[in-house]
Amino acid sequence: MTIMEVSSLKKSYGKLDVLKQITFDVNKNDVIAVIGPSGSGKSTMLRSLVHLEEIDGGTISVSGNFLVRDGVYTKPQEIKQITAKMGMVFQHFNLFPHLTVKENLELAPKMVKKESSAEIKQRSTELLEKIGLTDWAEAYPGKLSGGQKQRVAIARALMMNPDILLFDEPTSALDPELTGEVLQVMKDLAQEHMTMIVVTHEMGFAKEVANKVIFMDNGEIVESGAPEELFTNPQFERTKAFLNRSLK
């Protein structure tokens, strides 16, 4: 079942074309890894899906509802409703330093969702257990390692019960030894059939966990396919050159 359709996305900064005719679909339970060199438009594309970037042309629909259609955005209230179906995990965590871990998790649901505080507390407790940070519930982000902060950021996104989780290079700000703990949480989510779009430099994760890989370069999708095909038999020289550099 298709839950997101992206068609002919275009985005420019002045004369610089950042996104050129980006088109792909996301099916329920997909784990899509978006790979490519720095500056290829991956993060801009991801941010445009949740309206953190405005596109200049193209169409994005989520569960049949148009966020933007042929470059024209829907009403602000509908934009809120559509983007609420998506959770976003950023490279640099974006946790509130003055709130405890538990408070970071519970803030958005309290403000946005019409749920009882008991339901919200129960879910935050369950998610902290899921990411292995129950003992850190009352700690402030400044006391956490980078890997712990990113796990909290993932739990915070999950608090809103999103249909799709978007990850923007979630491990690139982490030391290598902390990367594994974050990737493990993401692997667990994939096994639970969470729909995810992951912009990543982690080729091992893309190979092992994704069911679809999109290779972007110079603002366009060069090729996409199943990881076993794209990694072992890329069709384009640009893909081959990137993988030769990345897989050494």
Side-chain angles (χ1 to χ4, degrees):
M1 184 176 99
T2 304
I3 59 173
M4 178 185 280
E5 295 180 72
V6 179
S7 176
S8 303
L9 286 201
K10 291 188 288 187
K11 170 81 178 174
S12 301
Y13 296 117
K15 292 184 178 177
L16 178 65
D17 294 330
V18 184
L19 299 177
K20 307 170 188 173
Q21 303 291 337
I22 297 292
T23 297
F24 65 96
D25 291 344
V26 182
N27 294 322
K28 190 172 173 58
N29 306 335
D30 269 350
V31 178
I32 298 177
V34 184
I35 64 172
S38 297
S40 58
K42 306 183 300 295
S43 291
T44 302
M45 180 274 291
L46 196 75
R47 290 168 64 84
S48 71
L49 301 180
V50 285
H51 197 233
L52 292 173
E53 296 273 0
E54 289 214 348
I55 59 164
D56 301 320
T59 298
I60 301 168
S61 72
V62 182
S63 300
N65 299 305
F66 288 98
L67 174 67
V68 54
R69 191 174 196 174
D70 297 328
V72 179
Y73 281 89
T74 188
K75 298 170 187 166
Q77 188 57 38
E78 289 176 18
I79 289 175
K80 267 189 182 176
Q81 290 169 356
I82 292 167
T83 55
K85 295 175 186 290
M86 294 177 271
M88 183 87 172
V89 179
F90 298 91
Q91 185 176 343
H92 292 292
F93 328 127
N94 292 6
L95 299 176
F96 293 107
H98 63 290
L99 299 180
T100 66
V101 164
K102 199 168 173 60
E103 287 167 343
N104 264 283
L105 264 60
E106 295 176 1
L107 179 65
K110 280 176 181 170
M111 293 176 69
V112 177
K113 288 191 172 263
K114 305 286 190 285
E115 290 178 306
S116 71
S117 58
E119 286 176 299
I120 291 170
K121 279 182 177 171
Q122 183 184 347
R123 195 154 73 254
S124 69
T125 300
E126 288 169 356
L127 283 170
L128 285 173
E129 187 176 342
K130 182 189 187 81
I131 61 169
L133 289 177
T134 300
D135 293 344
W136 296 83
E138 302 304 328
Y140 289 91
K143 300 288 186 187
L144 306 182
S145 70
Q148 289 171 324
K149 287 177 188 173
Q150 194 59 291
R151 283 188 277 158
V152 172
I154 294 170
R156 181 179 59 179
L158 290 169
M159 282 292 293
M160 301 299 284
N161 288 327
D163 294 336
I164 308 172
L165 261 187
L166 311 179
F167 294 84
D168 189 7
E169 301 194 11
T171 59
S172 62
L174 302 178
D175 295 332
E177 66 268 23
L178 300 177
T179 295
E181 64 189 60
V182 174
L183 291 178
Q184 188 58 54
V185 172
M186 294 167 68
K187 288 175 187 175
D188 292 345
L189 289 172
Q191 288 173 349
E192 292 165 15
H193 308 298
M194 185 77 208
T195 307
M196 300 192 280
I197 307 173
V198 185
V199 171
T200 185
H201 290 296
E202 297 289 338
M203 295 300 132
F205 175 86
K207 268 181 164 176
E208 182 187 343
V209 183
N211 67 308
K212 186 190 296 181
V213 180
I214 292 173
F215 170 63
M216 286 181 67
D217 190 20
N218 196 27
E220 58 191 356
I221 292 177
V222 178
E223 68 178 293
S224 63
E228 56 270 21
E229 293 169 9
L230 193 135
F231 282 106
T232 58
N233 189 28
Q235 301 300 300
F236 293 89
E237 285 304 320
R238 275 196 284 175
T239 317
K240 287 177 188 172
F242 173 77
L243 292 175
N244 282 340
R245 289 195 306 273
S246 302
L247 296 173
K248 279 178 180 171

